[in-house]
Amino acid sequence: MNEVFACTILIFTGVFALFVGQTRLPGEDRRFVWMSFWAHVIAAFVLIVLTYEFFGRGDMEVYYGYGEALADYIRVDPLRWGPEVLRLIFQQPAEIPIEVFGQEGTSTTTMIGITAFLLILTGSSMFGCGLILSFVAFSGQLAMYRTFSAHFGRELRLQVMVATLLVPSAVFWTSGVVKEAVAMGGLGWMIYGLHRLLGRRGKGWGILWLAAGAVAVALVKSYILFPMVAAAALWWYWRRAMATHGTVAIAKKPFQIAILGAMCVGGMIGLGQIFPQYSLDSLAEETANLQYQGERIQGGSSYSIGDGTTTSLGGQLAFAPLAISASLFRPFIFEAHNAVAAINAVETTLVLLLWVRILWVLGARGAWRVLRSSPPLIFCVVFVLLFGLGVGLATTNLGTLSRYRVPMMPMYLLVLLILSARPWRLRAGLMGGQGTGGASFAEPTSKARTRTFAYFTEDFRRGARWRGR
């Protein structure tokens, strides 16, 4: 009865909040936002049931078991134990009367502390906790939608909405008491904060959203910050070059490239100091250790790419093509051994078909012309490649691969869906996005814009002539 009451109150609260907030959205987009909202609600229930009935419980049981124990202590003396659990969330030494799994300060202790407070708020409702965290993930995806819809015209609005709000794996694996829910929420608001920070107005709010999202991501999946830093630096550089010249001639701007490289390296080194396990010195060793542990646990969905005995960075990067391809395309349909894997395989099969369409219609050169005309698309490509490289190298199971790559899926599908759009819609959407984004981003000159899209049009015509041979 407690579960029903808590979930009913939370769903009505979420509906009311979205009903009030939707007034700022275009009327034709609202139905997709509501579809995403209800998909997150349903997925929250389904994921918890599947976790307890079919997945062998796992992390969710750890969060709930220890979280309930901590919640009991907080109920007895909130002033005494509440601050200690907060310290646990921020991975600081805490005086906890019980031995908590990972008490030394890990993302697991963060989730245990978050679950403890959510259990107090929901009256010990596990489904209520899942709903709240699914709303967090939904808010992050909604922030992504608001960001990218500002950079593309109405002709590409459908592609943006589907990619950011309705990717099945991104909805399913971020709904429930899981780290991915917090990570998706934080990542979405980081991207929105970056969008505001690079714009002409709202820089203060941009810094606030960027910092809040970064803290959330750092607490649960800190490795996401590394590709985020590199992709954000390239977004800044590409936007600056496009605003000035209307194109990006990398070879002619060595000074700006040097600044960009320094920003990326400095960001990586700084993050490595904060998160030593992901520093450049220990990254290869950490990856090799994960590969070695994965090789020891064999199952129907296990696979191996890297070598667990290779602890050098160069040795690990030798497997980069295989790792990236695994993140982008696997599991294949013939690798599915259960219902969940089959659903993931259907999604990756559709992704593969999008690749075929893009290469057939645009070709590699035409696709590159489209990508280089849009700084947000460049950001997405860089993030997906770097994140996919890390996940592909460190993961040795197809099931966990589908779950761990979730943060990159909205951006991955955004690139593919835009590139696979009809040519007239693609040209109009990109040009319209430059116009609608003028409130936040500097616009290229009309001459530069014409030159950029003339290149794309010529590439498409060449592709059509090639296919007609």
Side-chain angles (χ1 to χ4, degrees):
M1 188 65 181
N2 179 58
E3 292 281 359
V4 175
F5 178 76
C7 293
T8 302
I9 294 298
L10 288 171
I11 291 174
F12 272 103
T13 303
V15 168
F16 176 77
L18 185 57
F19 183 79
V20 173
Q22 72 172 358
T23 57
R24 304 183 63 180
L25 301 175
E28 61 271 20
D29 295 359
R30 294 176 187 176
R31 61 190 181 102
F32 289 93
V33 173
W34 280 104
M35 287 171 59
S36 179
F37 173 82
W38 289 114
H40 279 84
V41 170
I42 295 172
F45 291 100
V46 173
L47 181 58
I48 292 176
V49 171
L50 289 178
T51 299
Y52 274 80
E53 297 296 331
F54 298 101
F55 295 161
R57 301 188 177 185
D59 293 345
M60 197 176 294
E61 183 181 22
V62 173
Y63 305 150
Y64 183 78
Y66 286 104
E68 182 62 31
L70 292 178
D72 290 338
Y73 279 100
I74 297 175
R75 292 188 184 101
V76 172
D77 192 349
L79 296 180
R80 172 68 178 89
W81 301 116
E84 295 300 326
V85 176
L86 279 176
R87 292 175 64 84
L88 200 69
I89 290 175
F90 289 96
Q91 302 175 10
Q92 300 298 312
E95 297 180 2
I96 301 296
I98 59 175
E99 184 177 353
V100 178
F101 180 82
Q103 191 170 354
E104 292 300 322
T106 63
S107 58
T108 299
T109 61
T110 295
M111 289 301 300
I112 290 173
I114 291 174
T115 305
F117 282 108
L118 293 180
L119 287 171
I120 295 174
L121 182 64
T122 61
S124 297
S125 170
M126 186 63 174
F127 288 100
C129 295
L131 278 174
I132 292 176
L133 289 178
S134 71
F135 293 160
V136 171
F138 169 70
S139 74
Q141 292 178 259
L142 191 61
M144 289 189 194
Y145 151 75
R146 292 185 62 185
T147 297
F148 293 119
S149 63
H151 295 277
F152 301 101
R154 295 168 58 90
E155 295 80 4
L156 294 175
R157 188 63 62 87
L158 177 62
Q159 284 79 359
V160 173
M161 288 187 293
V162 171
T164 56
L165 298 173
L166 294 172
V167 176
S169 61
V171 171
F172 178 75
W173 290 115
T174 62
S175 299
V177 187
V178 289
K179 297 176 185 177
E180 285 75 16
V182 180
M184 181 64 79
L187 178 62
W189 287 109
M190 280 183 70
I191 295 173
Y192 181 72
L194 179 63
H195 158 69
R196 297 289 295 268
L197 183 61
L198 294 178
R200 295 176 179 174
R201 296 180 298 177
K203 293 182 182 293
W205 284 105
I207 295 174
L208 178 63
W209 289 120
L210 184 61
V215 170
V217 170
L219 290 175
V220 293
K221 288 186 177 291
S222 55
Y223 55 83
I224 296 177
L225 296 176
F226 289 81
M228 180 67 186
V229 166
L234 200 58
W235 188 350
W236 167 83
Y237 165 75
W238 221 269
R239 166 190 165 273
R240 185 180 180 87
M242 290 288 295
T244 305
H245 306 287
T247 185
V248 180
I250 295 177
K252 297 180 181 180
K253 301 179 179 65
F255 181 70
Q256 292 187 16
I257 291 298
I259 295 178
L260 176 65
M263 290 174 59
C264 292
V265 173
M268 296 294 182
I269 294 176
L271 289 174
Q273 295 296 319
I274 301 174
F275 309 104
Q277 69 272 31
Y278 301 120
S279 66
L280 296 178
D281 296 332
S282 59
L283 181 60
E285 184 176 350
E286 180 73 16
T287 303
N289 180 57
L290 292 173
Q291 292 167 351
Y292 176 73
Q293 296 297 329
E295 291 172 357
R296 297 178 59 185
I297 304 175
Q298 295 296 325
S301 299
S302 298
Y303 71 96
S304 178
I305 289 179
D307 185 356
T309 62
T310 302
T311 58
S312 66
L313 186 59
Q316 288 293 331
L317 289 179
F319 299 100
L322 292 176
I324 293 175
S325 63
S327 296
L328 297 183
F329 302 114
R330 297 181 73 176
F332 299 114
I333 196 69
F334 55 82
E335 293 178 314
H337 299 290
N338 53 58
V340 176
I343 295 174
N344 292 328
V346 169
E347 183 177 281
T348 53
T349 301
L350 295 176
V351 165
L352 188 60
L353 293 177
L354 288 177
W355 273 87
V356 172
R357 172 178 169 79
I358 291 167
L359 294 177
W360 177 256
V361 174
L362 294 180
R365 185 175 179 180
W368 169 242
R369 291 292 190 188
V370 175
L371 292 175
R372 68 179 296 180
S373 69
S374 173
L377 288 182
I378 290 294
F379 164 82
C380 292
V381 169
V382 173
F383 182 89
V384 167
L385 291 178
L386 293 179
F387 186 84
L389 171 63
V391 170
L393 284 175
T395 308
T396 58
N397 183 278
L398 293 175
T400 55
L401 174 66
S402 299
R403 176 178 169 182
Y404 290 164
R405 71 178 171 208
V406 157
M408 79 175 196
M409 291 305 292
M411 286 169 278
Y412 182 31
L413 266 295
L414 178 67
V415 172
L416 294 182
L417 289 174
I418 287 180
L419 290 179
S420 60
R422 294 178 181 272
W424 69 267
R425 186 180 295 275
L426 182 58
R427 291 193 295 271
L430 290 174
M431 294 180 70
Q434 290 177 359
T436 58
S440 301
F441 289 85
E443 293 185 38
T445 63
S446 58
K447 181 179 178 180
R449 186 188 306 128
T450 302
R451 183 169 64 249
T452 300
F453 288 98
Y455 286 160
F456 161 68
T457 304
E458 179 60 24
D459 283 336
F460 176 75
R461 289 173 178 171
R462 289 177 181 175
R465 287 198 297 269
W466 177 82
R467 290 191 300 274
R469 292 179 180 177

